[in-house]
């Protein structure tokens, strides 16, 4: 069965068209930002975008996402550009996919969730991450089943064998449901093991790096500790939770022992099935005493990214945690400042003044200002120790 859904295998670069519905009010329209990000996602998955289509609507068309005129335009464009893949920036309903495929003829239709799941499948390394992604894919596929699973009934014999008069689709659903149960059991086993290990982490101050994908979380973990976590300029490079021991000595020579964890990054419209299936990996954020919210400040949309991360944390139940806002990749802005003569100081002060949390500007890449970050972590740790939650060693 795995072969059939192994989306993440190495493939040829596919040419694609990106499609998005924008806000009718142009001041609120973020379609070009969204399409930039979708293009990066497509690139990460191994596709190259050759064109974009945006339609300004109040709501996407319930039947075909785009309206009729734009749909004709898209259909023509696929032929002119000889494109066999169209990617939509939203999650499409199963019937929208069917209708669009009917209109475009022999063109693969992929929605944002399908694309993100594909990237997760390609990047999953550990047994746990692989199971989590497979489970999320199955849950995503369940309502979208057409006849694609019927071959499985022949392969798996007893399970889900069709009864008289039943439709094939029912058999398919049953097979997928059984597979979901099976995956869930395997995952539960791994997670139980993880819980035993987590219990041993109690004495230390737990710090969790959270943030938008590609913000530089893994790079920061590497810069602060001597970890060697994969950091790459691609989305969702990290899909598991890496925990490293770390310590800071204060001016009086007291040692503060930390566990620093790096985990999955977030993105706008992260499919809900993924959030569900990655709950145990994301639990490191819930168990943390301090969050380092890492932000790629060189990204023009970084403020939106901060909002998405806050919302996603709230969705997984992580609220009111002591947080340090770590604005990373400041070297990129400093470079721009040198080239364009733009003053960074006002921007920085403004940010520091207007946040509910302590703010620090760093570069994980150039290891700039990591001392200030350490000081802030120490200050937050002291508060935790004072409240008697953790002890100094
Ligand atoms: N210029 C610059 N690039 C950085 C900095 N920190 C990280 N990067 C680059 O940003 C990219 C993403 O870094 P990662 O550390 O993989 O980011 P991440 O947040 O762990 O990303 P995911 O695991 O994919 O969610 C890599 O190409 C890094 O080299 C920085 O301070 N300055
Ligand atoms: Mg990472």
């Amino acid at each position: 069965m795995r072969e059939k859904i192994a989306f993440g295998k190495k493939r040829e670069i596919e040419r694609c068209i990106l499609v998005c519905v924008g806000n009718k009010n142009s001041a609120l329209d973020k379609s070009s930002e969204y399409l930039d990000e979708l293009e990066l996602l497509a690139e990460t998955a191994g596709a190259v975008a050759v064109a974009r289509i945006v339609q300004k609507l109040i709501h996407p068309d319930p039947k075909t996402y785009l309206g009729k005129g734009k749909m004709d335009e898209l259909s023509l464009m696929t032929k002119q550009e000889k494109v066999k893949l169209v990617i939509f920036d939203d999650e499409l309903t199963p019937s929208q996919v069917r209708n669009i495929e009917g209109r475009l003829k022999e063109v693969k239709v992929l929605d944002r969730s399908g694309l993100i799941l594909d990237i997760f499948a390609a990047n999953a390394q550990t047994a746990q991450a692989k199971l989590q992604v497979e489970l999320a894919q199955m849950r995503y596929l369940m309502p979208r089943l057409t006849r694609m699973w019927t071959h499985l009934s022949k392969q798996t014999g007893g399970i889900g064998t069709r009864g008289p008069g039943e439709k094939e689709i029912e058999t398919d659903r049953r097979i997928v449901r059984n597979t979901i149960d099976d995956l869930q059991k395997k995952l539960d086993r791994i997670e139980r093991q993880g819980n035993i290990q987590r219990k041993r982490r109690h004495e230390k101050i737990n710090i969790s790096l959270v943030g938008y994908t590609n913000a530089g979380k893994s790079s920061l973990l590497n810069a602060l500790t001597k970890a060697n976590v994969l950091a790459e300029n691609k989305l969702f490079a990290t899909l598991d939770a890496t925990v490293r021991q770390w310590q800071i000595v204060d001016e009086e020579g007291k040692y503060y022992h930390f566990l620093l964890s790096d985990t999955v990054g977030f993105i706008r419209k992260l499919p809900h099935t993924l959030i569900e299936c990655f709950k145990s990996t994301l639990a490191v954020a819930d168990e943390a005493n301090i969050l380092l919210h890492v932000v790629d400040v060189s990204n023009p949309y970084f403020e939106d990214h901060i909002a998405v991360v806050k919302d996603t944390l709230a969705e997984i139940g992580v609220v009111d945690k002591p947080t340090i806002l770590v604005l990373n990749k400041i070297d990129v802005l400093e470079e721009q400042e040198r080239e364009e003569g733009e003053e960074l100081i006002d921007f920085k002060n403004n940010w520091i003044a207007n946040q509910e949390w302590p703010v620090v500007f760093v570069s994980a890449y150039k290891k700039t200002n990591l001392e200030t970050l350490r000081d802030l972590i120490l200050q937050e740790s002291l508060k935790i120790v004072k409240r008697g939650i953790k002890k100094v060693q």
Side-chain angles (χ1 to χ4, degrees):
M1 176 173 298
R2 284 210 180 152
E3 277 68 42
K4 295 289 172 191
I5 54 162
F7 295 99
K9 295 245 164 84
K10 274 229 177 309
R11 299 153 289 195
E12 281 185 14
I13 292 198
E14 290 179 67
R15 289 154 55 77
C16 69
I17 296 174
L18 307 178
V19 179
C20 172
V21 162
N23 196 302
K24 257 187 128 65
N25 178 348
S26 54
L28 297 176
D29 184 34
K30 296 201 167 180
S31 46
S32 84
E33 166 186 343
Y34 293 168
L35 284 172
D36 286 348
E37 184 175 89
L38 192 66
E39 185 164 349
L40 209 58
L41 282 167
E43 241 171 57
T44 306
V48 55
V50 296
R52 296 174 168 197
I53 284 199
V54 179
Q55 183 169 26
K56 305 284 179 67
L57 290 171
I58 295 171
H59 299 294
D61 186 287
K63 289 208 177 90
T64 49
Y65 186 76
L66 293 175
K68 185 176 178 315
K70 278 283 175 192
M71 205 58 195
D72 292 341
E73 199 183 307
L74 175 62
S75 174
L76 190 66
M77 206 184 256
T78 55
K79 289 184 186 83
Q80 281 170 344
E81 298 283 346
K82 297 194 173 48
V83 160
K84 292 281 169 219
L85 171 66
V86 178
I87 305 177
F88 291 75
D89 189 49
D90 278 297
E91 183 160 315
L92 299 172
T93 64
S95 75
Q96 278 174 328
V97 174
R98 268 196 304 279
N99 294 337
I100 299 167
E101 279 177 344
R103 291 289 305 279
L104 297 181
K105 303 273 184 322
E106 288 173 27
V107 170
K108 199 164 44 171
V109 171
L110 194 59
D111 66 5
R112 188 181 170 89
S113 299
L115 180 61
I116 294 175
L117 281 163
D118 183 286
I119 295 170
F120 268 65
N123 293 355
Q125 300 284 334
T126 59
Q128 184 178 11
K130 283 182 184 160
L131 283 171
Q132 286 167 319
V133 178
E134 206 172 328
L135 192 58
Q137 280 181 320
M138 285 288 177
R139 289 199 182 146
Y140 169 79
L141 281 172
M142 186 76 165
R144 291 172 176 77
L145 281 179
T146 49
R147 290 172 164 236
M148 65 184 286
W149 298 96
T150 42
H151 62 282
L152 291 172
S153 55
K154 294 178 196 101
Q155 283 175 16
T156 49
I159 312 165
T161 322
R162 202 149 39 106
E166 269 185 326
K167 293 197 179 78
E168 283 181 345
I169 191 92
E170 276 310 310
T171 316
D172 297 346
R173 289 228 165 89
R174 207 176 319 144
I175 295 167
V176 174
R177 224 173 277 136
N178 287 336
T179 311
I180 288 176
D181 288 348
D182 194 37
L183 287 168
Q184 188 70 63
K185 272 186 208 135
K186 285 184 187 156
L187 198 55
D188 288 347
R189 225 173 294 143
I190 293 185
E191 287 175 357
R192 266 198 302 276
Q193 197 62 36
N195 284 342
I196 297 167
Q197 285 169 9
R198 272 214 292 276
K199 282 202 182 113
R200 297 196 194 118
R201 295 183 197 153
H202 267 326
E203 321 82 64
K204 297 187 175 151
I205 297 174
N206 292 317
I207 302 180
S208 183
L209 293 150
V210 293
Y212 213 74
T213 182
N214 220 39
K217 300 174 294 298
S218 302
S219 304
L220 192 63
L221 180 78
N222 290 339
L224 289 174
T225 68
K226 299 215 162 47
N228 193 14
V229 177
L230 175 77
E232 268 190 293
N233 194 17
K234 73 175 188 187
L235 306 181
F236 302 111
T238 309
L239 288 187
D240 44 20
T242 303
V243 184
R244 288 284 174 273
Q245 304 207 32
W246 188 50
Q247 58 198 37
I248 303 180
V249 192
D250 73 5
E251 286 165 352
E252 293 165 17
K254 276 187 202 150
Y255 273 83
Y256 290 74
H257 293 270
F258 299 98
L259 286 175
L260 202 54
S261 60
D262 174 29
T263 187
V264 187
F266 300 147
I267 200 164
R268 190 177 64 92
K269 293 187 191 159
L270 191 61
H272 193 75
T273 54
L274 276 178
I275 297 180
E276 276 289 310
C277 298
F278 276 79
K279 254 195 179 133
S280 61
T281 305
L282 294 169
V284 290
D286 192 32
E287 288 155 9
N289 305 104
I290 303 170
L291 294 182
L292 300 187
H293 180 163
V294 184
V295 181
D296 173 0
V297 75
S298 73
N299 188 306
Y301 313 119
F302 80 95
E303 291 179 71
D304 290 347
H305 293 179
I306 293 176
V308 168
V309 171
K310 282 186 185 175
D311 288 349
T312 316
L313 284 171
E315 196 177 335
I316 58 171
V318 180
V319 281
D320 300 329
K321 283 258 179 216
T323 302
I324 299 170
L325 200 58
V326 185
L327 300 184
N328 187 33
K329 306 198 191 180
I330 193 64
D331 57 297
V332 180
L333 293 189
E334 282 166 353
E335 187 61 33
Q336 281 167 10
E337 187 183 32
R338 269 192 291 280
E339 283 170 8
E340 296 156 24
E342 267 178 40
E343 284 284 332
L344 258 181
I345 191 78
D346 288 346
F347 165 79
K348 282 185 177 174
N349 285 341
N350 205 15
W351 258 89
I352 292 171
N354 287 318
Q355 282 300 313
E356 51 180 319
W357 298 323
V359 178
V360 58
F361 290 85
V362 303
S363 164
Y365 175 57
K366 294 206 164 169
K367 300 200 164 60
T368 320
N369 229 3
L370 298 185
E371 273 307 315
T372 317
L373 174 58
R374 279 194 191 98
D375 288 348
L376 285 176
I377 291 174
L378 211 51
Q379 280 169 26
E380 288 303 320
S381 306
L382 270 176
K383 289 184 203 160
I384 290 167
V385 171
K386 268 194 190 138
R387 291 207 307 266
I389 300 169
K390 299 275 169 175
K391 288 194 199 112
V392 192
Q393 318 261 307

